[in-house]
Amino acid sequence: MIVLGIETSCDETSAAIIEGDKKEPYVKLLSNIVSSSLLLHAKTGGIIPEKAAREQVKYIIPVLEKALGEGKVDKKDIDAIGVTVGPGLIGSLLVGVETAKTLSYIWEKPLIPVNHLYGHIYANFVSEISNLKSQISNIEVPEFPAIALIVSGGHTDLVLMKNHGNLKWLGGTRDDAAGEAFDKIGRVLGLSYPGGEHIEKLAKNTSEDFFNFPRPLINSGDFDFSFSGLKTAVFRQISQIKNLDEKTISSICYSTQQAIIDVLVTKTLNAAIEFDVKSILLGGGVAANNSLRGNFKFQISNLKLDTKFFVPEKRLCTDNAAMIATAAFFSTKGRSASGGNKIGMPWQKVDAIPDLYFDTAQY
Ligand code: KG4
Ligand code: ZN
């Protein structure tokens, strides 16, 4: 089954083609084109939604054409179209959704609405191995039940995944997302937007947690997160420093990063132990952080957990359409996606996040 994915929830305009076989654990990536308006937003130190939406309009058609071209796929080969329907910036989302609806109508292909957060989880089910069947047997495959940590600029969520399509939200941030904390602290330190990868780079200059910032809710006993207090603590510390030289900035970056990592790793491993899962899956832009990846591996081995650890390759951590096409593909498992211009059912709703979806009935 060949799926065209479209992702426009924020500042990336992306289209991708994947090929899936229901008997295989991974899908094959045929193309994944991502155009980002990040540099534009770097000038304003953050995203202005109206500007992001206008950029989506500019790039959606060229990105789609490139994805079809690189994937060497003709429209007649496409079996379904998956599109991000939320959460995200409404103006940006509408560009992708309206484009997908139009293509679905004129090409007579089924349309599958995809939750952006599920997309981030499904980045773990993408393979770039060209000959999937012959090589898949000797590589690790995610097994269920699994705990997924989605950690991005807009979200920090822990999800229990019992199987494909069976997801239960366990907890999430009560205020700022982890990526948002990185970005806001980065801005106060004078780093370019988005701050996450710059903080990671500067943190490499030291290995001492000099400031030992608070680890909010680390022992709260639930699966919620909170990063706004950490952000305030860092801001307060910065305001008290007279000479914010490079060495001090690196130290603040290290201590900020370590505080965020400690909370993310501790809470995720608590969930993994409580639900006795076989796999841990990471997703979202912050999952691109090497120290976070390393800390997870270290703690899993340190605690001798019998849990496999999966994290997508970096370009699939940040927003992309390959993950959306993959989520769309797996949402069709067990039922036919053919049959003209039918609309795919979204996965089981996660009750605890009421605004996770648009009203998909209208699509
Ligand atoms: O998933 P994503 O591309 O967009 C959202 O859905 O939000 O994530 C973007 C976020 C930003 O907050 C960015 O600072 C963060 O991911 N990020 C990182 C790193 N690379 C991106 N955070 C920490 N370390 C990184 N290497
Ligand atoms: Zn995202």
Side-chain angles (χ1 to χ4, degrees):
M1 180 180 177
I2 292 187
V3 181
L4 164 67
I6 297 176
E7 153 64 37
T8 65
S9 67
C10 192
D11 55 341
E12 270 90 20
T13 313
S14 181
I17 319 268
I18 62 98
E19 186 174 7
D21 176 336
K22 297 225 163 112
K23 289 183 231 90
E24 301 291 344
Y26 290 106
V27 304
K28 181 169 145 189
L29 185 57
L30 302 183
S31 67
N32 184 35
I33 307 301
V34 183
S35 161
S36 175
S37 54
L38 211 75
L39 290 177
L40 181 79
H41 306 304
K43 286 185 200 153
T44 44
I47 296 171
I48 297 174
E50 173 65 17
K51 282 196 178 172
R54 283 170 189 262
E55 293 301 296
Q56 298 285 3
V57 175
K58 256 194 241 168
Y59 292 110
I60 186 73
I61 300 299
V63 162
L64 268 165
E65 283 175 342
K66 202 156 181 229
L68 289 168
E70 275 194 16
K72 299 190 180 55
V73 165
D74 188 81
K75 60 180 184 289
K76 70 175 180 342
D77 306 322
I78 293 171
D79 296 298
I81 301 169
V83 62
T84 307
V85 295
L89 303 175
I90 185 76
S92 289
L93 283 164
L94 279 172
V95 176
V97 169
E98 290 305 315
T99 306
K101 276 166 70 180
T102 307
L103 293 178
S104 159
Y105 183 71
I106 57 175
W107 291 352
E108 299 190 343
K109 308 287 180 188
L111 188 60
I112 304 172
V114 176
N115 177 317
H116 181 81
L117 302 180
Y118 292 3
H120 275 304
I121 300 173
Y122 271 91
N124 287 290
F125 293 83
V126 179
S127 166
E128 290 193 76
I129 299 166
S130 55
N131 188 352
L132 202 57
K133 273 192 183 132
S134 61
Q135 300 192 29
I136 209 89
S137 56
N138 53 8
I139 62 170
E140 294 264 34
V141 171
E143 284 180 59
F144 300 114
I147 287 288
L149 171 71
I150 306 144
V151 66
S152 71
H155 292 272
T156 306
D157 292 299
L158 269 174
V159 176
L160 174 65
M161 193 174 181
K162 290 187 182 154
N163 213 325
H164 289 296
N166 185 345
L167 288 94
K168 186 168 180 272
W169 184 79
L170 300 176
T173 185
R174 296 180 187 170
D175 38 58
D176 290 358
E180 192 179 352
F182 272 119
D183 297 342
K184 287 178 175 169
I185 291 167
R187 189 162 54 198
V188 171
L189 289 172
L191 308 177
S192 182
Y193 175 86
E197 61 174 297
H198 302 290
I199 290 185
E200 176 177 21
K201 217 168 161 188
L202 289 168
K204 287 196 180 118
N205 295 335
T206 175
S207 56
E208 188 199 349
D209 187 359
F210 181 76
F211 291 101
N212 193 20
F213 292 127
R215 273 76 170 146
L217 299 186
I218 197 161
N219 294 317
S220 63
D222 56 20
F223 299 115
D224 279 356
F225 298 89
S226 163
F227 292 105
S228 117
L230 166 67
K231 177 189 70 187
T232 311
V234 179
F235 286 178
R236 200 179 301 121
Q237 183 66 64
I238 293 171
S239 71
Q240 285 164 7
I241 296 170
K242 289 206 179 70
N243 180 19
L244 201 60
D245 56 17
E246 261 180 47
K247 193 163 171 272
T248 315
I249 291 178
S250 293
S251 274
I252 293 170
C253 288
Y254 184 92
S255 292
T256 298
Q257 177 174 277
Q258 201 52 48
I260 293 174
I261 288 175
D262 282 352
V263 177
L264 294 176
V265 173
T266 303
K267 295 237 151 174
T268 308
L269 296 191
N270 285 349
I273 292 165
E274 179 164 335
F275 294 96
D276 195 17
V277 298
K278 295 191 172 141
S279 315
I280 292 171
L281 313 174
L282 251 55
V286 179
N289 186 290
N290 274 328
S291 297
L292 177 68
R293 295 155 95 105
N295 272 252
F296 260 110
K297 285 180 198 156
F298 176 78
Q299 283 299 350
I300 288 170
S301 124
N302 194 29
L303 295 171
K304 299 192 172 49
L305 297 184
D306 187 19
T307 311
K308 292 185 195 171
F309 177 65
F310 296 85
V311 59
E313 65 164 283
K314 287 192 182 182
R315 71 187 181 107
L316 295 179
C317 286
T318 46
D319 290 350
N320 67 86
M323 67 187 198
I324 302 303
T326 306
F329 168 74
F330 280 102
S331 80
T332 68
K333 263 201 160 183
R335 63 193 167 82
S336 167
S338 60
N341 196 24
K342 267 197 220 136
I343 293 163
M345 285 295 291
W347 294 342
Q348 177 190 321
K349 270 196 181 181
V350 182
D351 297 334
I353 316 179
D355 63 347
L356 215 56
Y357 292 98
F358 286 166
D359 178 11
T360 44
Q362 63 185 294
Y363 304 116

